[in-house]
């Protein structure tokens, strides 16, 4: 039993469902882009934007905000959708994703859209920048926190491990890293392409505090973040076990959905499934 | 449109819209690599989690024992390949040009070039024609960073057929090499009978009013612009396919400038530091003439459709026509 009241959990599940529907609509309009990872991180982004983070959608440059970095920029649709539903910009703007002159670039660009914190897409660079921000907050005795969302595939980049060492060296307990542990990357399973396991042990060996969570249980996600925030003297990682394409039956667990958008009929079916799930939220069934 | 030079080069009927074939240059790399593997048992392939989009997949199926998957680790890609080359292999290493060689520049310089190892970098998805992925994935500085390294060979073929030949040629030829290709479908200009040799530029169209020196998939735009200028303005352009950026065919570049008296360079790359810059270096020293530079003008790309972006960043047929007219006018004014 988590700490959140059931009604609050249901609210967050509805936000996650909205985010998923926004992802499907924007990817359909774009005609290209990454469905699988975007969908599987919807619950984490719902928890971050609608419960965990200190932020103000009307004042994205607020100096005291928590910083959220999306290191695996290819899943930008989940962030754009979460930001739109949180009030950063009109939901309709999601339909401009990946179009010429859009603020919603195929991979996130900080100078293009307020509230993004970094430019990303080239993998493995988020934790290093987050480490810099967290160290800056410490230098200035600020109490805002840094959250970095990473993919499992980008754990094959050397720079990420350089950042892990550095964050531990400086005892950056104001830094929390999420891992989208869907065990999938472009060429197949991460464990076939370049094995990451035992991933939790590797983080522990690098002097990080490790939490593992079902990445589709919003209540458990919120509790994990609270536990992470209570840690002193160490950066924390939350390994979120996720299912690629979560919420759309024909995408779930299939690596072929890493980098393609739904076609019209697939999008219709996906939205139908998501709406059915939404109607059941709070009625004992899961969203 | 018939022209002695294009006949000698056995080009396709590229100007005939109905007959025009569109194939991504990366496809030529995929077929060429399998053939290179058949010809030489030392040819191996290493990929960084992009086997399908770089077209290494066919090689991985044909030669599973000579295929190495290393995940998202482009610095590893180069340094490990240098090790394999040191023990006699001929490694082709593939990822997007933005990361390979974009992320691994110092490893390329030290472990490939300074160390003199026979590694072949295959840089996929170069240029703004990558399209909707946006600026983070559009490599438009890669020619510059590769051509400044001593001992490197840099090849940018003009279509899929030529990319296949270039893959075979660089496999057979010793030396650290960068081979660049693109994602989008692009016009097939050359045929099986078109010659190809690393370091030998090709005159695809003859003329003596202005020389358009181009590389990569924009050679097609250069040819179309030249045809239109002949038709509309009676200006006879020489179109040179300058596929080898390093070592560049200096004699061909100097001859084009001498015969035409004005030059336009065309590349899907920043105008600073790329193929056109090398042409300017050569001509400033040996045959100064007016030069106009077609390419990205010191900006980053963005999301959009491939042709939309090529137009927006000033590399479309109209932009090449206008630059050619400017070069022509400057030449006349100087006389
Ligand atoms: C440095 C770098 N190399 C290669 C790529 C191309 N690329 C995009 S996503 C990806 C890996 C996909 O795996 P993961 O990050 O786990 O994402 P998921 O498929 O789970 O969404 C790769 C290799 C990249 N974006 N950056
Ligand atoms: Mg993954």
């Amino acid at each position: 039993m988590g700490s959140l009241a059931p009604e609050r959990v249901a609210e967050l599940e509805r936000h996650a469902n909205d985010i998923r529907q926004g992802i499907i609509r924007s990817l359909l309009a774009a005609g290209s882009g990454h469905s699988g990872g975007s969908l599987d991180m919807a619950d984490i982004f719902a928890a971050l934007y609608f419960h965990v983070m200190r932020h103000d959608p009307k004042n994205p440059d607020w100096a005291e905000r928590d910083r959220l970095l999306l290191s695996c920029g290819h899943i930008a649709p989940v962030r754009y959708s979460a930001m739109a539903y949180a009030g950063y910009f009109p939901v309709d703007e999601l339909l401009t994703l990946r179009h010429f002159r859009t603020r919603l670039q195929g991979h996130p660009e900080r100078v293009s859209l307020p509230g993004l914190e970094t430019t990303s897409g080239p993998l493995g660079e988020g934790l290093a920048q987050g480490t810099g921000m967290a160290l800056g907050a410490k230098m200035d005795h600020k109490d805002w926190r840094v959250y970095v969302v990473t993919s499992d595939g980008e754990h094959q980049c050397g720079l990420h491990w350089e950042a892990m060492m550095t964050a531990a060296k400086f005892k950056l307990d104001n830094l929390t890293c999420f891992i989208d542990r869907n065990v999938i990357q472009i060429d197949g399973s991460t464990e076939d392409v370049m094995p990451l396991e035992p991933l939790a042990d590797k983080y522990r060996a690098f002097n990080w505090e490790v939490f593992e969570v079902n990445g589709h249980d919003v209540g458990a996600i919120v509790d994990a973040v609270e536990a992470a925030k209570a840690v002193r003297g160490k950066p924390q990682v939350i390994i979120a076990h996720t299912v690629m394409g979560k919420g759309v039956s024909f995408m779930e667990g299939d690596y072929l959905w890493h980098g393609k958008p739904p076609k019209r009929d697939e999008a219709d079916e996906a939205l139908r499934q998501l709406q059915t799930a939404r109607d059941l939220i709070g009625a004992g069934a899961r969203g | 449109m018939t022209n002695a030079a294009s006949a000698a080069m056995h080009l396709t009927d590229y100007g005939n819209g109905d007959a025009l074939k569109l194939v991504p240059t990366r496809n030529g790399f995929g077929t060429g690599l399998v053939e290179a593997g058949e010809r030489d048992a030392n040819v191996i392939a290493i990929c960084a989690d992009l086997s399908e989009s770089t077209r290494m997949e066919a090689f991985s199926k044909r030669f599973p024992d000579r295929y190495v998957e290393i995940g998202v680790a482009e610095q590893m890609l180069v340094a490990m390949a240098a090790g394999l080359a040191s023990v006699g292999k001929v490694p082709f290493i593939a990822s997007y040009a933005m990361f390979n060689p974009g992320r691994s520049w110092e490893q390329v310089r030290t472990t490939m070039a300074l160390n003199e190892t026979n590694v072949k970098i295959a840089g996929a998805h170069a240029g703004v024609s990558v399209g909707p992925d946006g600026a983070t994935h559009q490599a438009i500085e890669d020619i510059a960073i590769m051509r400044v390294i001593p001992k490197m060979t840099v090849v940018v073929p003009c279509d899929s057929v030529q990319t296949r030949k270039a893959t075979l040629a660089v496999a057979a030829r010793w030396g650290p090499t960068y081979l660049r290709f693109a994602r989008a479908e692009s016009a097939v200009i050359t045929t099986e009978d078109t010659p190809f040799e690393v370091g030998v530029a090709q005159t695809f169209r003859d003329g003596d009013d202005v020389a358009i020196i181009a590389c990569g998939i924009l050679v097609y735009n250069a040819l179309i612009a030249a045809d239109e200028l002949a038709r509309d303005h009676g200006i006879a352009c020489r179109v040179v396919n300058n596929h080898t950026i390093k070592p560049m065919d200096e004699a061909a570049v100097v001859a084009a400038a001498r015969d035409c008296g004005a030059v336009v360079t065309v590349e899907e790359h920043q105008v600073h530091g790329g193929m056109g810059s090398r042409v300017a270096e050569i001509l400033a020293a040996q045959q100064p003439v007016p030069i106009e530079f077609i390419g990205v003008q010191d900006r980053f790309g963005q999301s959009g459709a491939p042709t939309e972006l090529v137009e927006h960043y000033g590399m479309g047929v109209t932009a090449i026509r206008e630059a050619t007219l400017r070069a022509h006018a400057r030449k006349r004014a100087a006389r």
Side-chain angles (χ1 to χ4, degrees):
Chain A
M1 193 56 204
S3 63
L4 290 189
E7 308 82 66
R8 183 70 187 129
V9 170
E11 269 171 38
L12 291 177
E13 287 176 352
R14 281 191 201 94
H15 288 308
N17 188 286
D18 287 342
I19 292 171
R20 286 194 167 89
Q21 298 204 29
I23 291 168
I24 296 292
R25 289 204 179 86
S26 61
L27 284 167
L28 175 67
S32 67
H34 300 78
S35 304
S38 298
L39 286 169
D40 78 43
M41 289 301 279
D43 304 293
I44 303 237
F45 274 80
L48 286 168
Y49 272 101
F50 292 93
H51 191 88
V52 166
M53 283 205 302
R54 183 162 89 195
H55 70 123
D56 177 3
K58 299 295 169 226
N59 186 10
D61 296 329
W62 179 32
E64 300 306 318
R65 71 190 182 279
D66 289 339
R67 269 62 171 178
L68 171 61
L69 289 75
L70 177 59
S71 183
C72 44
H74 65 278
I75 66 166
V78 66
R79 181 171 203 165
Y80 293 147
S81 187
M83 287 174 72
Y85 282 101
Y88 280 83
F89 55 84
V91 170
D92 276 354
E93 194 173 340
L94 289 175
L95 302 183
T96 68
L97 175 69
R98 291 178 159 254
H99 288 258
F100 186 50
R101 293 194 194 284
T102 182
R103 297 199 292 170
L104 311 188
Q105 289 291 302
H107 293 80
E109 284 181 36
R110 181 167 89 119
V111 295
S112 177
L113 184 69
L116 286 182
E117 308 296 354
T118 61
T119 295
S120 61
L123 293 168
E125 298 177 342
L127 191 63
Q129 293 173 82
T131 297
M133 292 183 192
L135 185 58
K138 290 272 181 199
M139 287 173 170
D140 291 349
H141 308 289
K142 296 290 187 188
D143 69 347
W144 46 264
R145 297 185 57 81
V146 179
Y147 297 99
V148 182
V149 170
T150 67
S151 68
D152 47 5
E154 67 179 325
H155 280 70
Q156 293 155 356
C157 300
L159 176 56
H160 185 84
W161 299 83
E162 296 172 29
M164 280 167 64
M165 281 186 275
T166 309
K169 171 182 174 179
F170 292 104
K171 303 187 177 16
L172 299 179
D173 50 18
N174 54 349
L175 173 67
T176 307
C177 177
F178 289 90
I179 306 176
D180 174 11
R181 186 69 175 118
N182 57 17
V183 201
I184 282 178
Q185 59 188 108
I186 296 179
D187 283 348
S189 158
T190 57
E191 301 316 287
D192 294 332
V193 171
M194 184 55 64
L196 297 174
E197 292 299 335
L199 190 54
D201 290 344
K202 288 177 182 167
Y203 269 91
R204 282 188 200 102
F206 275 64
N207 286 327
W208 282 58
E209 193 71 28
V210 178
F211 299 89
E212 301 209 42
V213 70
N214 171 355
H216 304 303
D217 181 339
V218 280
I221 294 165
V222 167
D223 287 348
V225 178
E226 289 308 325
K229 284 164 75 172
V231 171
R232 290 291 166 265
K234 276 181 176 188
Q236 320 89 42
V237 63
I238 299 176
I239 303 178
H241 297 280
T242 56
V243 176
M244 172 162 279
K246 178 70 179 178
V248 177
S249 62
F250 54 90
M251 295 185 189
E252 285 188 4
D254 182 356
Y255 77 97
L256 293 177
W257 281 100
H258 154 85
K260 64 174 180 175
K263 298 196 190 66
R264 166 69 62 184
D265 54 330
E266 292 166 335
D268 289 345
E269 172 59 16
L271 291 171
R272 198 190 58 71
Q273 289 183 13
L274 288 167
Q275 191 54 46
T276 304
R278 194 179 204 285
D279 295 340
L280 292 171
I281 291 172
R286 301 245 336 110
Chain B
M1 196 206 77
T2 41
N3 187 291
S6 51
M9 281 287 155
H10 302 280
L11 300 188
T12 63
D13 192 7
Y14 64 82
N16 171 4
D18 297 336
L20 188 65
K21 264 183 41 188
L22 298 173
V23 181
T25 48
R26 56 181 165 150
N27 288 15
F29 170 69
T31 40
L33 186 60
V34 172
E35 279 177 62
E38 283 160 354
R39 290 183 192 181
D40 180 353
N42 281 322
V43 168
I44 63 167
I46 319 177
C47 196
D49 196 26
L50 288 167
S51 61
E52 194 271 337
S53 54
T54 62
R55 298 293 188 262
M56 251 190 185
E57 205 172 25
F59 187 99
S60 75
K61 297 208 164 114
R62 177 79 172 75
F63 303 108
D65 298 340
R66 286 152 58 189
Y67 174 73
V68 183
E69 168 69 79
I70 56 141
V72 194
E74 293 81 9
Q75 293 165 300
M76 180 70 185
L77 192 58
V78 174
M80 178 188 180
L84 280 153
S86 304
V87 296
K89 301 297 178 192
V90 182
F92 277 75
I93 58 175
S95 176
Y96 295 154
M98 194 66 247
F99 315 123
N100 173 51
R103 178 164 289 195
S104 55
W105 186 83
E106 188 272 336
Q107 282 78 33
V108 174
R109 183 181 187 274
T110 304
T111 73
M112 272 178 69
L114 184 55
N115 195 30
E116 296 195 15
T117 56
N118 192 20
V119 177
K120 319 294 179 184
I121 303 172
H125 288 38
V128 295
S129 60
V130 167
D133 273 349
T136 56
H137 282 55
Q138 294 165 352
I140 44 180
E141 299 84 11
D142 53 315
I143 294 176
I145 62 172
M146 286 296 99
R147 81 169 182 91
V148 292
I149 301 178
K151 299 230 160 68
M152 286 295 291
T153 294
V154 180
V155 182
V156 186
C158 67
D159 66 7
S160 57
V161 173
Q162 185 157 84
T163 307
R164 179 184 144 266
K165 290 179 194 161
T167 305
L168 287 165
V170 303
R173 179 180 178 276
W174 188 91
T177 301
Y178 175 45
L179 182 65
R180 177 199 219 223
F181 42 88
R183 171 180 193 269
E185 295 198 318
S186 60
V188 178
I189 306 163
T190 65
T191 61
E192 291 312 318
D193 296 330
T194 308
F196 178 82
E197 200 182 324
V198 173
V200 180
Q202 302 171 304
T203 301
F204 275 180
R205 186 185 202 290
D206 216 352
D208 55 12
D209 288 330
V210 180
I212 307 180
I213 301 180
C215 67
I217 61 175
L218 294 184
V219 170
Y220 170 73
N221 283 2
L223 285 166
I224 298 297
D227 289 345
E228 291 183 4
L229 286 162
R231 185 193 65 204
D232 299 344
H233 297 272
I235 293 179
C237 293
R238 175 178 303 187
V239 177
V240 176
N241 175 27
N242 197 17
H243 51 71
T244 303
I245 315 306
K246 188 178 190 138
M248 193 170 283
D249 187 342
E250 296 193 19
V253 169
V254 170
R258 192 182 50 233
D259 297 349
C260 301
V263 166
V264 177
T265 62
V266 180
E267 64 196 306
E268 198 188 357
H269 187 273
Q270 302 284 4
V271 291
H272 296 163
M275 182 274 285
S277 294
R278 179 65 197 138
V279 167
E281 288 161 8
I282 293 167
L283 294 182
Q286 302 181 42
Q287 187 74 37
V289 295
I291 310 178
E292 295 284 328
F293 301 93
I294 290 284
V296 181
Q297 305 288 331
D298 200 20
R299 288 187 288 167
F300 288 115
Q302 63 177 307
S303 292
T307 35
E308 191 170 40
L309 295 174
V310 167
E311 292 290 331
H312 176 75
Y313 288 99
M315 299 175 287
V317 171
T318 310
I320 298 172
R321 283 181 55 155
E322 287 166 0
T324 308
L325 291 173
R326 280 198 304 275
H328 193 241
R330 285 173 61 194
K331 162 175 122 173
R332 291 197 157 173
R335 281 193 179 151

